[in-house]
Amino acid sequence: MPRILGVETSCDETAAAVVADGKVLLANIVASQAAKHAKYGGVFPEAASRAHIEVIYTVVQQALSDAHLSLADIDAIGVTRGPGLPGSLVVGLNTAKGLALGRGLPLIGVNHLEGHVYSLWLVENSPEVVFPVLALIVSGGHTELVLMTGHGQYTRLGGTLDDAAGEAYDKVARLLGLPYPGGPSVEQAAQTGNPTAFKFPRAWLEGTWDFSFSGLKTAVLYEVKQQKPGRPMSAEAVADETPPDPALVPHLAASFQAALVEVLVGKTVAAAQKYGVTEIFVAGGVSANQALKAEFQRRAPMPVRTPPLFLCTDNAAMIAAAANFRYLAGQRDALDMDALPNWKLG
Ligand code: KG4
Ligand code: ZN
């Protein structure tokens, strides 16, 4: 029963966790920097890497102490190698390398997107996974549709051509005058809104498994500025950050969310049927969204797994869970392993 220490610093969460046997969570520490980035309406890379440096040591110590373990009890260290912000990734990588070197422990580099998929192995009492499964990874940085035929075996079917789903939520939140991170605040505003109040575009990109959300975001922008789509907007109008009439915000949020969810679910279910998968896995920050989960339950003929809320957004437990399978498969990385900020899955 390997015990893996996971380390994750790809974006604005400094995280460490201990996972036994790839599925038993012994400790899970996440230090969020969201408050530091709120004033920018998104993650500010330089501030992120500095904040990781400030807390990473404490976060790792806390994870070991919560697990009632010391490094002597750990079998391997799994660390996010990419994709992510270069300056943030190296903080976690260097920490993991130092610990591995100091204790003579195996070091395993993990793809952050693979980590999100393995968050589903941490769901208690879930049935054994039967491959192939289709994974939709929806986060602030990614929207990826990946066919998984075995542990560590991925074929990428498609992904976003522009904004990631979470990024669209964050940008629309800003347009609507709602706080960062945008996903939870737009979802909350949408609860009292009419999802058919505004007819926002759905980019189906027929014949591909790709997504596009920038047109949807621009349509919300035009509606907020009350300008006709297709007509060029003045630079002053775009720069003006006055939020819309508060009475309209729930309807704008609900109509935006309905368009985004319809396309995400529609295309994922179509791909799942085409490839004959046993299950759909939905992971990443946006998988916390209730409207998305409800629409999947309504439309998918096969089971759909989503992580519990605390494992949807970035954490190191998912990195440790993914590292466990790589550890068992014999993966050992060298101490000169570098960060891969644009690392693709499949
Ligand atoms: O996976 P994650 O923590 O970080 C990345 O790897 O990017 O995802 C963060 C993203 C943010 O864009 C956030 O707005 C979005 O996930 N998010 C949500 C919800 N909670 C977080 N989007 C929609 N609905 C939510 N409830
Ligand atoms: Zn993530």
Side-chain angles (χ1 to χ4, degrees):
M1 198 165 100
R3 284 188 288 221
I4 313 276
L5 171 69
V7 177
E8 151 68 38
T9 61
S10 67
C11 192
D12 62 340
E13 252 83 45
T14 316
V18 183
V19 170
D21 209 19
K23 52 181 191 287
V24 184
L25 194 51
L26 301 182
N28 184 39
I29 305 294
V30 180
S32 174
Q33 307 172 2
K36 281 200 166 65
H37 302 288
K39 59 178 177 288
Y40 307 108
V43 178
F44 182 50
E46 176 64 22
S49 41
R50 281 168 190 251
H52 286 308
I53 293 168
E54 282 164 22
V55 300
I56 184 79
Y57 180 76
T58 317
V59 165
V60 169
Q61 290 302 323
Q62 188 63 49
L64 289 167
S65 135
D66 276 17
H68 305 291
L69 297 173
S70 75
L71 275 175
D73 307 307
I74 296 294
D75 294 287
I77 302 178
V79 59
T80 305
R81 190 177 179 188
L85 301 169
S88 290
L89 287 167
V90 296
V91 178
L93 269 172
N94 287 343
T95 304
K97 286 176 185 178
L99 295 173
L101 178 66
R103 304 295 311 197
L105 287 170
L107 179 68
I108 298 163
V110 173
N111 183 304
H112 178 83
L113 302 172
E114 178 174 66
H116 275 300
V117 175
Y118 276 87
S119 66
L120 290 156
W121 266 265
L122 293 164
V123 183
E124 276 177 52
N125 303 322
S126 51
E128 215 32 43
V129 174
V130 179
F131 294 109
V133 300
L134 181 67
L136 172 69
I137 306 152
V138 268
S139 68
H142 299 91
T143 303
E144 295 282 301
L145 201 52
V146 179
L147 187 65
M148 187 178 185
T149 49
H151 286 299
Q153 286 165 18
Y154 309 97
T155 306
R156 183 181 184 273
L157 302 182
T160 185
L161 302 178
D162 38 60
D163 292 349
E167 186 181 0
Y169 267 98
D170 294 335
K171 288 178 175 170
V172 165
R174 200 171 167 145
L175 288 174
L176 301 184
L178 298 170
Y180 173 84
S185 53
V186 171
E187 176 172 26
Q188 199 191 2
Q191 271 162 13
T192 54
N194 172 4
T196 60
F198 296 94
K199 300 269 166 295
F200 289 136
R202 275 89 168 139
W204 289 105
L205 307 181
E206 301 286 351
T208 76
W209 300 117
D210 289 327
F211 300 94
S212 166
F213 299 113
S214 72
L216 171 59
K217 172 199 66 192
T218 308
V220 178
L221 172 75
Y222 272 86
E223 202 55 62
V224 168
K225 308 285 177 197
Q226 294 182 307
Q227 303 244 352
K228 292 249 178 317
R231 261 211 311 206
M233 210 187 293
S234 69
E236 291 77 26
V238 176
D240 174 15
E241 295 207 357
T242 315
D245 174 355
L248 290 180
V249 168
H251 303 308
L252 288 162
S255 301
F256 156 77
Q257 180 165 271
L260 182 136
V261 163
E262 188 181 324
V263 176
L264 276 181
V265 175
K267 293 199 77 158
T268 305
V269 169
Q273 288 173 313
K274 166 132 203 293
Y275 288 93
V277 300
T278 62
E279 282 189 69
I280 294 173
F281 284 9
V282 190
V286 184
S287 68
N289 189 276
Q290 292 299 336
L292 180 68
K293 287 196 262 197
E295 186 68 1
F296 263 119
Q297 297 307 340
R298 222 179 355 258
R299 300 269 304 277
M302 63 285 290
V304 179
R305 285 193 207 203
T306 51
L309 272 185
F310 76 102
L311 293 176
C312 289
T313 46
D314 289 348
N315 63 84
M318 66 187 199
I319 302 302
N324 181 73
F325 288 99
R326 298 198 160 270
Y327 174 75
L328 295 177
Q331 178 177 327
R332 304 289 184 267
D333 288 308
L335 285 170
D336 63 355
M337 163 171 68
D338 52 356
L340 299 174
N342 299 311
W343 199 4
K344 299 262 184 295
L345 191 62

